[in-house]
Amino acid sequence: MIFSFKRVNAIFIKDWKDLQRNSYILFTLAIPLVFAAMLGRMNAATDVLSTYPINLALIIAGAFIQAAMVAEEKEKNTLRGLLLSPASTLEILIGKSALSGLMTILVIIGSIIFSGYTVPSLPLFSLSTLLGLVFYLATGTILGLLSRTVMETSIIGMPVLIIFGMSSMFKPMVENATLINIIELLPNEQLNQIWFGLSDGKGAADILMNLFILFLWVAVSFILTIVIYKKRRFD
Amino acid sequence: MENVIEVRDLEKSFQNQLALKKVSFQVRKGETIGFLGPSGSGKTTTIKILTAQLHATAGEVKVFGEPIAKLKDPIYMKRIGILTDNSGLYERLSIYDNLALYCDLYEVDKKRINEVLTTVNLIEESKKIVQKLSKGMKQRVTLARAMLHKPDLLFLDEPTSALDPVNTMHIHQGLKKLNEEGTTIFLTTHDMQEAETICDRVAFLHNGEISLIDTPENIKTQQSTSSISLLLRNNRKVVVQKDEAGAKEIYNYIKDGEIVTIHSDEPTLGDVFVKLTGRKLS
Ligand SMILES: Nc1ncnc2c1ncn2[C@@H]1O[C@H](COP(=O)(O)OP(=O)(O)OP(=O)(O)O)[C@@H](O)[C@H]1O
Ligand SMILES: [Mg+2]
């Protein structure tokens, strides 16, 4: 299969032009930033909440915006045009994730600045965050593909928000040991363990297992995205 | 001659309702074929199966000589243009930007945008945002998009259903030109006039079955009656037979200077359709 960067870029440019007139998405992108700024004001950047703005940016900008953008293509019948074009599955999926991916990275950088979070070991922090980004983009794409309308994404997305967004907050309240073990395997927990580990001065060798589990999440979500996407060609 | 589409014993059922029953036909390279039928007769279903948007329940479907599953290959998708009721546009983008995306997807030079916009009579509006367009204008944009890459095979599901006569004529000219340049066209319509103007052959679809498939001329002459209508002075109407007695009668009327108009009673495609199926087209 020939991979055409031109086609990927064309979808990205199209989404970029669309974003400038899309107040819903612009507004949503601001939510994590506002939260980060509030946290920064409270000088809470050092406690357990310190990484929360990054998680929130991943969920809101990475998963929810992506879901809304994909669902809108379904709602307005534009996805079908892409599916019936010569663009390959990979070109469409990457093209369609490019803008939300870029926006998420910008929002994460903004959140770090506003909340006053100190980034430990930039290479390892970036690597883990990028893995997390791919997972959340894939999750968002799946949510978008499963919804018929943009409105539906917020309903279907609710469990995802609770599981990946709030499980870290619920964890201290959970008594069941098995449940705690499961929660700790979730991608958001893996990211937290990596980031806190790095802040505590841990090195690459100590977080290898976490990176591996995170990578498994990425692989599973990616395969699932392709499977669900391929089904969407047919009515 | 080479067949671009070959369909044999195609069947499609939704739940337990049969939408297409044993449909068989071929489309030759370079021809314009029209599927004519009332609402619910299975026109859209046929197009969706031919463009791999729906699975057939039974039968054999080949496009470009290949089974339909192969069409998903980008090499084939490049040769096909599609306009169906679910061809959506990006509402927040301009007409030009919508087409620019498709130029890149199909690897077509952006110069082509002005050509297709001229064809659909929208060149002045190219900077307008799609959201602000009328229904007919949107239909013309999707049509422009479907022909952007000069496909070998163009599928059009009711391409002019929302258009006024002037724009319909414009589109018909554009389609004829595209056809002359080598594009095979498969279209559906419930507009008889449209079928007669641009189709080399038409198929009558009724309750999921093809009841007749032929050139418009053949259909009309085979079903034509043997009478001639005369309109005489003082608004008198006379019908005479196409025989010797009829000829004498006409001769006399002409000699006396009585005749205002004269024409043979050819049925329209619509008349034939009603006769064959007992149903009106729309
Ligand atoms: N997705 C579907 N699920 C169930 N039944 C369907 C579906 N799509 C079409 N049908 C049925 O199949 C039959 C043919 O429908 P189709 O849309 O092909 O008709 P059509 O000739 O295109 O009509 P129109 O002129 O109104 O567009 C109809 O009876 C319709 O109810
Ligand atoms: Mg239809």
Side-chain angles (χ1 to χ4, degrees), chain B residues 217-273:
Chain B
E217 294 76 29
N218 282 350
I219 292 177
K220 286 190 296 184
T221 49
Q222 274 161 23
Q223 306 284 332
S224 80
T225 54
S226 52
S227 57
I228 293 173
S229 295
L230 309 176
L231 180 64
L232 306 179
R233 279 212 239 140
N234 300 327
N235 214 17
R236 283 180 297 145
K237 289 181 184 123
V238 178
V239 177
V240 301
Q241 294 307 301
K242 284 180 184 164
D243 53 19
E244 217 177 318
K248 278 199 184 122
E249 221 176 314
I250 295 173
Y251 170 79
N252 286 328
Y253 284 130
I254 293 176
K255 199 177 60 174
D256 300 341
E258 288 271 356
I259 287 189
V260 180
T261 66
I262 176 168
H263 49 91
S264 68
D265 284 341
E266 264 183 15
T268 63
L269 283 182
D271 296 334
V272 180
F273 190 88

Side-chain angles (χ1 to χ4, degrees), chain A residues 6-7 10-11 14 17-18 21-22 72-73 76-78 80-82 84-87 233-235, chain B residues 48 52-55 72 74 77-78 82 86 88-90 92-93 97 101-102 104-107 129:
Chain A
K6 198 176 172 190
R7 283 202 268 265
I11 299 174
K14 180 269 293 177
K17 284 177 184 160
D18 188 272
R21 297 204 185 88
N22 195 335
E72 186 171 27
E73 296 252 11
K76 301 279 165 63
N77 277 322
T78 48
R80 189 53 64 93
L82 298 180
L84 294 174
S85 81
R233 188 187 168 95
F234 293 97
D235 276 344
Chain B
K48 284 197 174 162
Q53 299 182 61
L54 265 182
H55 289 291
K72 279 176 254 172
M77 292 322 296
K78 231 177 164 161
I82 302 171
N86 61 12
L89 296 165
Y90 294 100
R92 284 182 290 266
L93 298 188
D97 286 339
L101 167 67
Y102 274 73
D104 286 336
L105 292 180
Y106 285 86
E107 293 168 294
I129 303 298

Side-chain angles (χ1 to χ4, degrees), chain A residues 140-158:
Chain A
T141 308
I142 293 171
L143 286 177
L145 288 172
L146 293 178
S147 318
R148 271 166 309 173
T149 64
V150 178
M151 280 298 287
E152 258 185 41
T153 57
S154 39
I155 301 162
I156 299 184
M158 211 34 82

